[in-house]
Amino acid sequence: MEFLDRYQQIVADAIAKYTFKDKPEELYEPMNYIISHGGKRLRPIMVLMACDLFGGNLNEAIKPALAIEFFHNFTLIHDDIMDEAPLRRNKPTIHTLHGINVGILSGDGLMLKAYKFFEDLEPEIFKACIRIFTHTGLLLCEGQQYDINFETQENVTFDDYIRMITYKTGVLSASSFEIGALIAKANFKDAKAIFNFGKHIGIAFQIMDDYLDVFGDQAQFGKKHAGDIYENKKTVLYLMAREHATEEERKELDYWYSKKTDNIDKVYGVEKIFRRTKVDEKALRLIEKHNEIGQSYLQKIDIPEEKKKPFAELANYLLRRES
């Protein structure tokens, strides 16, 4: 997708321009380290895409787009510490290289730098963007806490799970689109429609993440295989497996999820139940459902179809990903 390459280049150039040269290096170099690994840099691209969609000035959106990228990476650093994850994007995580204290501080530094990147916006748009940005951050923290709670909470419902991934993943994509729309001075109805498009694509993206954790190619995915099973995370795969498992299989799931262990037998045992209950197929159908809901919100925006086409292409690309 050529349009994606163009936006990625804009983001890459901006990141190069705003590389941290501050002191002490022990704080800022880890921040540069995680930002430089890049990934697909989807969320800043979402800001730019929405700004373009509504005819905004892309130059005004570049620094807020970087704010989203900095904030996203702040969450990844802290997420990796909480999950004790050794890898991120096939590279050693910051706390693995520099220790937990540096991981916490560099994550905090990225979050605070993110706020500074909204300062050039005109006052009313600045206030609106900061309100969305801060609310998104709080929801993300709530989602992360729900995720932690689920590890020891006996009864987690499907609705609990959807709320958790909406807060943890969906709202950041949604807010990225909405902030881009606001910078372009889109009307309230259209800004909310693109927000809801992003929310459902984000939900589908997280379900795909859960799917790939178990059924994806570890080398391409860049994370420890079945890390969610090791961590007792009650993902959509676990919830659907419990719903469709036999009583004996449910007891086996309860047994394995009562232990936080690197025992390979645990992974084999849980994966076997996942495959028998066909949760891989069910998860893929759920991904498609949320993609369709997201696309329905996109259709509500009163803009020529040709301009909306890249958004549909982006969603389909994200949900077909292997890593």
Side-chain angles (χ1 to χ4, degrees), residues 184-204:
K185 298 183 171 69
N187 65 47
F188 179 81
K189 180 178 75 69
D190 285 344
K192 280 303 166 192
I194 201 71
F195 174 91
N196 282 311
F197 166 77
K199 181 177 81 170
H200 284 281
I201 297 308
I203 290 169

Side-chain angles (χ1 to χ4, degrees), residues 139-151 153 156 160 163-165 167-168:
L139 288 179
L140 199 143
C141 289
E142 290 175 19
Q144 180 71 1
Q145 186 62 57
Y146 282 128
D147 195 19
I148 292 167
N149 291 354
F150 291 174
E151 291 177 26
Q153 187 176 321
V156 177
D160 290 336
R163 177 181 60 182
M164 184 271 288
I165 65 168
Y167 288 4
K168 213 182 144 180

Side-chain angles (χ1 to χ4, degrees), residues 113-247:
K113 286 283 190 181
Y115 271 94
K116 289 183 67 64
F117 269 40
F118 288 102
E119 290 174 353
D120 293 347
L121 296 173
E122 58 186 75
E124 285 306 309
I125 294 175
F126 171 81
K127 281 166 60 180
C129 288
I130 287 294
R131 184 173 63 247
I132 291 164
F133 188 65
T134 303
H135 184 58
T136 297
L138 287 168
L139 288 179
L140 199 143
C141 289
E142 290 175 19
Q144 180 71 1
Q145 186 62 57
Y146 282 128
D147 195 19
I148 292 167
N149 291 354
F150 291 174
E151 291 177 26
T152 53
Q153 187 176 321
E154 284 190 23
N155 296 312
V156 177
T157 68
F158 183 75
D159 287 344
D160 290 336
Y161 166 83
I162 292 295
R163 177 181 60 182
M164 184 271 288
I165 65 168
T166 300
Y167 288 4
K168 213 182 144 180
T169 304
V171 293
L172 188 55
S173 298
S175 297
S176 299
F177 282 127
E178 187 176 19
I179 284 170
L182 290 176
I183 292 168
K185 298 183 171 69
N187 65 47
F188 179 81
K189 180 178 75 69
D190 285 344
K192 280 303 166 192
I194 201 71
F195 174 91
N196 282 311
F197 166 77
K199 181 177 81 170
H200 284 281
I201 297 308
I203 290 169
F205 186 84
Q206 183 58 52
I207 296 170
M208 179 62 86
D209 218 48
D210 292 354
Y211 169 88
L212 290 171
D213 181 75
V214 176
F215 298 107
D217 183 323
Q218 183 187 359
Q220 289 183 312
F221 196 37
K223 292 183 185 177
K224 179 180 179 178
H225 172 68
D228 290 342
I229 294 174
Y230 284 116
E231 293 295 321
N232 295 335
K233 289 192 181 292
K234 295 184 173 69
T235 66
V236 70
L237 303 179
Y238 167 85
L239 294 173
M240 291 192 297
R242 274 194 67 82
E243 183 184 349
H244 296 280
T246 64
E247 187 176 346

Side-chain angles (χ1 to χ4, degrees), residues 249 252 266-277:
E249 287 169 339
E252 187 177 348
K266 174 179 180 175
V267 174
Y268 288 147
V270 172
E271 274 192 36
K272 191 167 63 177
I273 295 169
F274 282 0
R275 293 183 190 280
R276 281 206 299 262
T277 51

Side-chain angles (χ1 to χ4, degrees), residues 13-27:
D13 290 346
I15 284 172
K17 180 179 177 180
Y18 293 104
T19 297
F20 300 118
K21 298 180 175 69
D22 312 67
K23 304 287 183 184
E25 290 178 4
E26 292 82 359
L27 172 66

Side-chain angles (χ1 to χ4, degrees), residues 10-20 35 41 43-45 47-48 61-73 110 113-115 117-118 133:
I10 291 170
V11 174
D13 290 346
I15 284 172
K17 180 179 177 180
Y18 293 104
T19 297
F20 300 118
I35 293 290
R41 291 169 173 159
R43 289 148 192 94
I45 286 171
V47 177
L48 300 179
I62 288 171
K63 286 176 78 172
L66 283 192
I68 296 289
E69 180 68 358
F70 289 0
F71 179 82
H72 174 58
N73 280 278
L110 273 176
K113 286 283 190 181
Y115 271 94
F117 269 40
F118 288 102
F133 188 65

